[in-house]
């Protein structure tokens, strides 16, 4: 299997030197992380990879062939050439003036211009063409980041069999922010991402935000992150990106690094150093950080002259006006702090407006007592992790913004809210005054965690999850040939048994249980089927409903998930030792949850109570259903009751009977063709008791004990109808 990696920038960038084109490593966490993964012996991309992306500048048409050849031969890369006009609308435009501010919670800075959107769509399709030239059938494509949100669906549309993964390196904003985008855009962006088999995020919050937007905007529900699309599954999951831990850790012993660190320490003098490194961007909260440092110096005069803030700001988007303004504000603040507090013998802020190669960051990390990472929003923030890795001595304090993805993993850091300037000032004092023992304890915990989940593990886990997912699903989807085989075997069988769930299998799930009554077509079909074999309708419905709806058919009925059985032409028989003295307590609790959720209602059955929430607002309903189940599980822990979460229903009934136990009597009668079909958790009890030779089908793309899944109810009904179409006089000609 070949791996095709796709990102806006290639891991190498072109630049011109003395009239010649040269290559340099591209900056940023994605490029260096993936480079590390691809060159690691632990990488699974051993059978080759190609990286598709933009080489960082417009290339003259005469030179494109040569650049393409060199990229291929030297870097296993496929360059994609974009004109200045393309990058204006695409990168500078939609990426950085719409998606970047919106996803980093700066709605006031978001541009809603149509022009850049059109370019964004077009450039995503240019990427699609290039990827399809590189990826063969059976290859895996890993698409990275917000520049290419539409690409996964484009790839899926043109090559459905391709395995596609997508990873978002920046935050996915809450639904309230995401919904600000015009409906066309937000649908296309979500649909684009869902084209991937696996969508990865740094944190669980981002994944949940994405899933919520998918549910609210596209209407697709999910189960544990698996999004049920009409004909396939996509999965959202969390993969917090790590760094090359051992390399950073080992570097601090290299003589060159030690020398540089000592030199820096000399400049700092006997005092302490606080380090701050970021790209110039409004998301990084650089001005707030300076304000916090100023507040700290104001409140702690004894620290004046004994501390230095080493502030590295990497030039970025230098042509954009907002960034120029930000730069002026930072310059002013630095000047003001140095002017107010500094003197000839002490400069409070040592400010560098330039970029450093990654290896030169290590002596900076090592020389600094405190690392101050306080973005207003950041997808992950690898600099925070690199600081921890570089501190092989186990000392140093990380002060980290709660608004970074890294904060969800690095709980031993001193966490701060970057909007709370007094709090940050206090955190600085805490960090500078922290005992060596406390530093060591926190650092050791942080280092252990980052060592285990490094960047190779991150990429490996993502690709493994991507590989697994599809193979599991492919095995389960009912292939057309098997469907035909089922019909054929049914025709030629002597004794046939069909165990069929009702709601969600023979009729679609309706807003209220009453609306699911069978129409004449369905009744006629079941009548025909009953002439061909033994049909058992296995339902969670009360027996009165089944009697009213299906009682006149020559079929057996199972009601209340197995509590009652009515044989063909017989009477209802209770199947186990059933009791209902538990009902009042459970009913009270369920009713309290009806009060808390408009649209919910309690249904009383003879041996069960069901709390339905199909008509309620889906988000709140999901939450309340979860709370209610947890509550019920606590309440019934020591009793013989079972709490079951089905399709938009939470049900409590005595343990000991199930659709499985109720059907065992039928199965024992010996059939040479058995088929079970159902759509719900309660049908799993039936699938579990079926013999290996039986066919079993679960409606919906969920993990199941059934041998096969079909995506939709209509597909299940179609199969049942095909069986009913067999001529009544036995095997077809
Ligand atoms: C996106 C997300 C997320 C080298 N020289 C400098 C410098 N480097 C290296 C650092 C680090 C990387 O660049 C910067 O790390 P970030 O985490 O900020 O990564 P980005 O690629 O900018 O950002 C971010 C990341 O993707 C990975 O998913 O963590 O949230 O925005 O490896 O060693 N970094 C800086 N100055 C230099 O001079 N700041």
């Amino acid at each position: 299997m070949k791996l095709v990696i796709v990102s806006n920038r290639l891991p190498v960038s072109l630049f011109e030197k003395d009239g010649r084109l040269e290559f340099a490593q591209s900056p940023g966490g994605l490029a260096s992380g993936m480079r590390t993964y691809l060159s690691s012996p632990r990488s699974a991309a051993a059978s080759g990879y190609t990286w598709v992306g933009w080489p960082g500048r417009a290339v003259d048409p005469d030179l494109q062939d040569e650049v393409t050849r060199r990229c291929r031969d030297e870097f296993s890369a496929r360059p994609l050439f974009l004109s200045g006009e393309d990058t204006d609308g695409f990168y500078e435009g939609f990426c950085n003036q719409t998606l970047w501010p919106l996803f980093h919670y700066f709605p006031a800075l978001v541009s809603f211009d149509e022009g850049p959107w059109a370019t964004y769509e077009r450039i995503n399709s240019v990427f699609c063409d290039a990827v399809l030239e590189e990826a063969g059938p059976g290859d895996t494509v890993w698409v990275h980041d917000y520049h290419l949100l539409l690409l996964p669906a484009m790839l899926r549309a043109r090559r459905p069999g391709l395995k596609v993964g997508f990873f978002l390196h920046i935050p996915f904003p809450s639904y309230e922010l995401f919904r600000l985008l015009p409906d066309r855009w937000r649908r296309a962006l979500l649909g684009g991402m869902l084209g991937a088999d696996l969508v990865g995020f740094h944190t669980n919050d981002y994944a949940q935000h994405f899933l919520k937007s998918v549910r609210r905007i596209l209407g697709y529900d999910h189960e544990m992150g698996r999004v049920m699309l009409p004909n396939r599954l996509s999965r959202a999951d969390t993969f917090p990106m790590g760094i090359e831990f051992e390399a950073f850790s080992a570097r601090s012993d290299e003589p060159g690094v030690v020398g540089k660190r000592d030199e820096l320490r000399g400049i700092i003098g006997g005092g302490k150093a606080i380090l701050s490194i970021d790209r110039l961007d409004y998301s990084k909260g650089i001005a707030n950080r300076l304000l916090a440092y100023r507040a700290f110096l104001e409140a702690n005069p004894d620290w004046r002259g004994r501390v230095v803030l080493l502030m590295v700001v990497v030039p970025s988007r230098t042509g954009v006006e907002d960034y120029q303004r930000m730069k002026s504000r930072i310059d002013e603040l630095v000047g003001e702090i140095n002017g107010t507090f500094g003197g000839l013998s002490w400069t409070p802020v040592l400010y560098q407006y330039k970029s450093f190669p990654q290896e030169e960051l290590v002596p900076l990390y090592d020389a600094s007592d405190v690392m101050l990472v306080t973005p207003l929003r950041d997808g992950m923030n690898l600099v925070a992790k690199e600081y921890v890795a570089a501190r092989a001595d186990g000392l140093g304090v990380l002060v980290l913004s709660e608004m970074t993805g890294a904060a969800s993993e690095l709980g031993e850091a001193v966490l701060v809210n970057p909007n709370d300037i007094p709090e940050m000032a206090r955190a600085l004092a805490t960090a500078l005054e922290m005992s060596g023992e406390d530093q060591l304890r926190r650092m050791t915990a942080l280092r252990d965690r980052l060592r285990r989940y490094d960047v190779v593990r991150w990429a490996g886990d993502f690709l493994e999850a991507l590989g697994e997912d599809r193979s599991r699903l492919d095995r389960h989807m009912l292939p057309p040939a098997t469907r035909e085989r089922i019909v054929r075997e049914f025709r030629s069988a002597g004794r046939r048994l069909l165990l069929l769930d009702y709601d969600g299998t023979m009729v679609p799930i309706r807003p209220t249980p009453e609306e699911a009554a069978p129409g004449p077509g369905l009744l006629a079909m079941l009548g025909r089927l009953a002439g061909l074999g033994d049909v058992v309708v296995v339902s969670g419905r009360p027996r009165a409903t089944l009697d009213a709806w299906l009682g006149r058919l020559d079929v057996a009925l199972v009601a209340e998930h197995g509590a009652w059985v009515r044989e063909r032409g017989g009477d209802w028989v209770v199947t186990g030792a059933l009791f209902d003295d538990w009902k009042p307590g459970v009913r009270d609790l369920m009713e309290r949850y009806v009060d808390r959720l408009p649209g919910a209602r309690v249904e009383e059955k003879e041996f069960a109570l069901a709390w339905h929430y199909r008509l309620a607002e889906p988000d709140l309903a999901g939450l309340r259903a979860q709370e209610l189940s947890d509550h019920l599980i606590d309440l019934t822990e020591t009793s013989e009751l079972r709490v079951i979460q089905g399709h938009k229903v939470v049900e409590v009934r005595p343990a000991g009977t199930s659709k499985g136990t109720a059907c065992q009597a039928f199965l024992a009668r010996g059939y040479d063709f058995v088929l079970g079909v159902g759509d719900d958790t309660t049908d799993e009890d039936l699938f579990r008791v079926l013999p290996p030779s039986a066919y079993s089908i679960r409606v919906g793309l969920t993990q199941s004990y059934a041998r096969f899944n079909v995506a939709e109810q209509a597909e299940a009904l179609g199969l049942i109808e095909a069986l009913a179409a067999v001529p009544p006089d036995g095997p077809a000609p």
Side-chain angles (χ1 to χ4, degrees), residues 342-360:
L344 282 178
S345 58
W346 174 56
T347 310
V349 187
L350 294 178
Y351 173 43
Q352 297 273 300
Y353 181 63
K354 64 176 238 189
S355 80
F356 285 80
Q358 202 175 46
E359 19 343 320
E360 284 183 26

PDB file of all heavy atoms in Angstrom, residues 342-360:
ATOM      1  N   GLY A 342      13.105  49.237  32.678  1.00  0.00           N
ATOM      2  CA  GLY A 342      14.513  48.907  32.414  1.00  0.00           C
ATOM      3  C   GLY A 342      15.441  50.068  32.695  1.00  0.00           C
ATOM      4  O   GLY A 342      15.033  51.183  32.996  1.00  0.00           O
ATOM      5  N   GLY A 343      16.706  49.759  32.581  1.00  0.00           N
ATOM      6  CA  GLY A 343      17.713  50.793  32.757  1.00  0.00           C
ATOM      7  C   GLY A 343      18.971  50.341  32.032  1.00  0.00           C
ATOM      8  O   GLY A 343      18.927  49.388  31.235  1.00  0.00           O
ATOM      9  N   LEU A 344      20.073  50.991  32.320  1.00  0.00           N
ATOM     10  CA  LEU A 344      21.316  50.644  31.623  1.00  0.00           C
ATOM     11  C   LEU A 344      21.760  49.221  31.919  1.00  0.00           C
ATOM     12  O   LEU A 344      22.289  48.529  31.064  1.00  0.00           O
ATOM     13  CB  LEU A 344      22.419  51.624  32.036  1.00  0.00           C
ATOM     14  CG  LEU A 344      22.344  52.983  31.355  1.00  0.00           C
ATOM     15  CD1 LEU A 344      23.444  53.898  31.879  1.00  0.00           C
ATOM     16  CD2 LEU A 344      22.450  52.828  29.835  1.00  0.00           C
ATOM     17  N   SER A 345      21.511  48.761  33.127  1.00  0.00           N
ATOM     18  CA  SER A 345      22.026  47.437  33.497  1.00  0.00           C
ATOM     19  C   SER A 345      21.009  46.315  33.301  1.00  0.00           C
ATOM     20  O   SER A 345      21.308  45.156  33.508  1.00  0.00           O
ATOM     21  CB  SER A 345      22.454  47.459  34.972  1.00  0.00           C
ATOM     22  OG  SER A 345      21.328  47.833  35.752  1.00  0.00           O
ATOM     23  N   TRP A 346      19.795  46.673  32.907  1.00  0.00           N
ATOM     24  CA  TRP A 346      18.791  45.608  32.778  1.00  0.00           C
ATOM     25  C   TRP A 346      17.745  45.946  31.728  1.00  0.00           C
ATOM     26  O   TRP A 346      17.144  47.006  31.755  1.00  0.00           O
ATOM     27  CB  TRP A 346      18.091  45.395  34.135  1.00  0.00           C
ATOM     28  CG  TRP A 346      16.948  44.417  34.097  1.00  0.00           C
ATOM     29  CD1 TRP A 346      17.013  43.130  33.663  1.00  0.00           C
ATOM     30  CD2 TRP A 346      15.584  44.649  34.486  1.00  0.00           C
ATOM     31  NE1 TRP A 346      15.781  42.534  33.765  1.00  0.00           N
ATOM     32  CE2 TRP A 346      14.880  43.437  34.277  1.00  0.00           C
ATOM     33  CE3 TRP A 346      14.906  45.753  35.012  1.00  0.00           C
ATOM     34  CZ2 TRP A 346      13.535  43.308  34.551  1.00  0.00           C
ATOM     35  CZ3 TRP A 346      13.545  45.615  35.290  1.00  0.00           C
ATOM     36  CH2 TRP A 346      12.868  44.409  35.070  1.00  0.00           C
ATOM     37  N   THR A 347      17.532  44.992  30.770  1.00  0.00           N
ATOM     38  CA  THR A 347      16.474  45.140  29.782  1.00  0.00           C
ATOM     39  C   THR A 347      15.427  44.065  30.064  1.00  0.00           C
ATOM     40  O   THR A 347      15.719  42.873  29.935  1.00  0.00           O
ATOM     41  CB  THR A 347      17.034  44.955  28.348  1.00  0.00           C
ATOM     42  OG1 THR A 347      18.177  45.795  28.218  1.00  0.00           O
ATOM     43  CG2 THR A 347      16.015  45.287  27.296  1.00  0.00           C
ATOM     44  N   PRO A 348      14.226  44.468  30.467  1.00  0.00           N
ATOM     45  CA  PRO A 348      13.226  43.460  30.867  1.00  0.00           C
ATOM     46  C   PRO A 348      12.769  42.542  29.733  1.00  0.00           C
ATOM     47  O   PRO A 348      12.512  41.382  29.945  1.00  0.00           O
ATOM     48  CB  PRO A 348      12.050  44.295  31.378  1.00  0.00           C
ATOM     49  CG  PRO A 348      12.552  45.677  31.561  1.00  0.00           C
ATOM     50  CD  PRO A 348      13.773  45.857  30.732  1.00  0.00           C
ATOM     51  N   VAL A 349      12.651  43.083  28.482  1.00  0.00           N
ATOM     52  CA  VAL A 349      12.216  42.232  27.356  1.00  0.00           C
ATOM     53  C   VAL A 349      13.320  42.205  26.308  1.00  0.00           C
ATOM     54  O   VAL A 349      13.696  43.252  25.772  1.00  0.00           O
ATOM     55  CB  VAL A 349      10.932  42.777  26.684  1.00  0.00           C
ATOM     56  CG1 VAL A 349      10.423  41.777  25.651  1.00  0.00           C
ATOM     57  CG2 VAL A 349       9.851  43.086  27.709  1.00  0.00           C
ATOM     58  N   LEU A 350      13.833  41.017  26.019  1.00  0.00           N
ATOM     59  CA  LEU A 350      14.767  40.876  24.901  1.00  0.00           C
ATOM     60  C   LEU A 350      13.951  40.353  23.729  1.00  0.00           C
ATOM     61  O   LEU A 350      13.493  39.211  23.741  1.00  0.00           O
ATOM     62  CB  LEU A 350      15.899  39.904  25.243  1.00  0.00           C
ATOM     63  CG  LEU A 350      16.840  40.351  26.352  1.00  0.00           C
ATOM     64  CD1 LEU A 350      17.896  39.272  26.628  1.00  0.00           C
ATOM     65  CD2 LEU A 350      17.542  41.665  25.977  1.00  0.00           C
ATOM     66  N   TYR A 351      13.743  41.215  22.769  1.00  0.00           N
ATOM     67  CA  TYR A 351      12.766  40.937  21.721  1.00  0.00           C
ATOM     68  C   TYR A 351      13.460  40.629  20.395  1.00  0.00           C
ATOM     69  O   TYR A 351      14.320  41.402  19.951  1.00  0.00           O
ATOM     70  CB  TYR A 351      11.881  42.178  21.621  1.00  0.00           C
ATOM     71  CG  TYR A 351      10.884  42.224  20.493  1.00  0.00           C
ATOM     72  CD1 TYR A 351      10.127  41.115  20.145  1.00  0.00           C
ATOM     73  CD2 TYR A 351      10.675  43.418  19.792  1.00  0.00           C
ATOM     74  CE1 TYR A 351       9.188  41.194  19.120  1.00  0.00           C
ATOM     75  CE2 TYR A 351       9.735  43.501  18.780  1.00  0.00           C
ATOM     76  CZ  TYR A 351       9.001  42.368  18.444  1.00  0.00           C
ATOM     77  OH  TYR A 351       8.082  42.459  17.440  1.00  0.00           O
ATOM     78  N   GLN A 352      13.096  39.522  19.782  1.00  0.00           N
ATOM     79  CA  GLN A 352      13.658  39.140  18.482  1.00  0.00           C
ATOM     80  C   GLN A 352      12.517  38.949  17.495  1.00  0.00           C
ATOM     81  O   GLN A 352      11.669  38.076  17.701  1.00  0.00           O
ATOM     82  CB  GLN A 352      14.375  37.788  18.597  1.00  0.00           C
ATOM     83  CG  GLN A 352      15.553  37.773  19.530  1.00  0.00           C
ATOM     84  CD  GLN A 352      16.806  38.210  18.809  1.00  0.00           C
ATOM     85  OE1 GLN A 352      17.208  37.586  17.837  1.00  0.00           O
ATOM     86  NE2 GLN A 352      17.400  39.298  19.260  1.00  0.00           N
ATOM     87  N   TYR A 353      12.490  39.746  16.441  1.00  0.00           N
ATOM     88  CA  TYR A 353      11.467  39.569  15.417  1.00  0.00           C
ATOM     89  C   TYR A 353      12.105  38.831  14.249  1.00  0.00           C
ATOM     90  O   TYR A 353      12.583  39.430  13.289  1.00  0.00           O
ATOM     91  CB  TYR A 353      10.944  40.948  14.997  1.00  0.00           C
ATOM     92  CG  TYR A 353       9.861  40.907  13.944  1.00  0.00           C
ATOM     93  CD1 TYR A 353       8.640  40.290  14.200  1.00  0.00           C
ATOM     94  CD2 TYR A 353      10.058  41.492  12.693  1.00  0.00           C
ATOM     95  CE1 TYR A 353       7.646  40.261  13.225  1.00  0.00           C
ATOM     96  CE2 TYR A 353       9.061  41.464  11.720  1.00  0.00           C
ATOM     97  CZ  TYR A 353       7.868  40.841  11.993  1.00  0.00           C
ATOM     98  OH  TYR A 353       6.889  40.798  11.035  1.00  0.00           O
ATOM     99  N   LYS A 354      12.227  37.542  14.361  1.00  0.00           N
ATOM    100  CA  LYS A 354      12.845  36.732  13.302  1.00  0.00           C
ATOM    101  C   LYS A 354      12.552  35.264  13.575  1.00  0.00           C
ATOM    102  O   LYS A 354      12.085  34.904  14.655  1.00  0.00           O
ATOM    103  CB  LYS A 354      14.349  36.956  13.276  1.00  0.00           C
ATOM    104  CG  LYS A 354      15.070  36.502  14.543  1.00  0.00           C
ATOM    105  CD  LYS A 354      16.556  36.668  14.403  1.00  0.00           C
ATOM    106  CE  LYS A 354      17.260  35.356  14.597  1.00  0.00           C
ATOM    107  NZ  LYS A 354      18.671  35.376  14.681  1.00  0.00           N
ATOM    108  N   SER A 355      12.837  34.421  12.584  1.00  0.00           N
ATOM    109  CA  SER A 355      12.597  32.995  12.840  1.00  0.00           C
ATOM    110  C   SER A 355      13.911  32.292  13.124  1.00  0.00           C
ATOM    111  O   SER A 355      14.976  32.740  12.717  1.00  0.00           O
ATOM    112  CB  SER A 355      11.880  32.363  11.663  1.00  0.00           C
ATOM    113  OG  SER A 355      12.802  32.076  10.669  1.00  0.00           O
ATOM    114  N   PHE A 356      13.811  31.230  13.875  1.00  0.00           N
ATOM    115  CA  PHE A 356      14.972  30.420  14.222  1.00  0.00           C
ATOM    116  C   PHE A 356      14.793  29.034  13.611  1.00  0.00           C
ATOM    117  O   PHE A 356      13.684  28.501  13.665  1.00  0.00           O
ATOM    118  CB  PHE A 356      15.040  30.224  15.745  1.00  0.00           C
ATOM    119  CG  PHE A 356      15.503  31.425  16.492  1.00  0.00           C
ATOM    120  CD1 PHE A 356      14.630  32.472  16.779  1.00  0.00           C
ATOM    121  CD2 PHE A 356      16.814  31.507  16.938  1.00  0.00           C
ATOM    122  CE1 PHE A 356      15.057  33.580  17.486  1.00  0.00           C
ATOM    123  CE2 PHE A 356      17.235  32.616  17.657  1.00  0.00           C
ATOM    124  CZ  PHE A 356      16.362  33.661  17.931  1.00  0.00           C
ATOM    125  N   PRO A 357      15.868  28.432  13.098  1.00  0.00           N
ATOM    126  CA  PRO A 357      15.716  27.031  12.700  1.00  0.00           C
ATOM    127  C   PRO A 357      15.414  26.193  13.949  1.00  0.00           C
ATOM    128  O   PRO A 357      15.831  26.564  15.054  1.00  0.00           O
ATOM    129  CB  PRO A 357      17.068  26.649  12.095  1.00  0.00           C
ATOM    130  CG  PRO A 357      17.965  27.816  12.302  1.00  0.00           C
ATOM    131  CD  PRO A 357      17.210  28.948  12.896  1.00  0.00           C
ATOM    132  N   GLN A 358      14.708  25.077  13.754  1.00  0.00           N
ATOM    133  CA  GLN A 358      14.247  24.320  14.916  1.00  0.00           C
ATOM    134  C   GLN A 358      15.388  23.933  15.865  1.00  0.00           C
ATOM    135  O   GLN A 358      15.232  24.008  17.086  1.00  0.00           O
ATOM    136  CB  GLN A 358      13.488  23.073  14.464  1.00  0.00           C
ATOM    137  CG  GLN A 358      12.559  22.557  15.522  1.00  0.00           C
ATOM    138  CD  GLN A 358      11.724  21.384  15.024  1.00  0.00           C
ATOM    139  OE1 GLN A 358      12.247  20.468  14.398  1.00  0.00           O
ATOM    140  NE2 GLN A 358      10.434  21.417  15.295  1.00  0.00           N
ATOM    141  N   GLU A 359      16.569  23.553  15.299  1.00  0.00           N
ATOM    142  CA  GLU A 359      17.655  23.103  16.207  1.00  0.00           C
ATOM    143  C   GLU A 359      18.111  24.239  17.130  1.00  0.00           C
ATOM    144  O   GLU A 359      18.561  23.993  18.239  1.00  0.00           O
ATOM    145  CB  GLU A 359      18.844  22.468  15.554  1.00  0.00           C
ATOM    146  CG  GLU A 359      19.314  22.524  14.147  1.00  0.00           C
ATOM    147  CD  GLU A 359      18.474  22.962  12.995  1.00  0.00           C
ATOM    148  OE1 GLU A 359      17.274  22.624  12.911  1.00  0.00           O
ATOM    149  OE2 GLU A 359      19.045  23.665  12.153  1.00  0.00           O
ATOM    150  N   GLU A 360      17.944  25.474  16.658  1.00  0.00           N
ATOM    151  CA  GLU A 360      18.386  26.587  17.504  1.00  0.00           C
ATOM    152  C   GLU A 360      17.401  26.929  18.615  1.00  0.00           C
ATOM    153  O   GLU A 360      17.674  27.749  19.485  1.00  0.00           O
ATOM    154  CB  GLU A 360      18.651  27.824  16.638  1.00  0.00           C
ATOM    155  CG  GLU A 360      19.955  27.688  15.881  1.00  0.00           C
ATOM    156  CD  GLU A 360      20.283  28.923  15.071  1.00  0.00           C
ATOM    157  OE1 GLU A 360      19.830  30.025  15.435  1.00  0.00           O
ATOM    158  OE2 GLU A 360      20.999  28.765  14.066  1.00  0.00           O
TER     159      GLU A 360
END
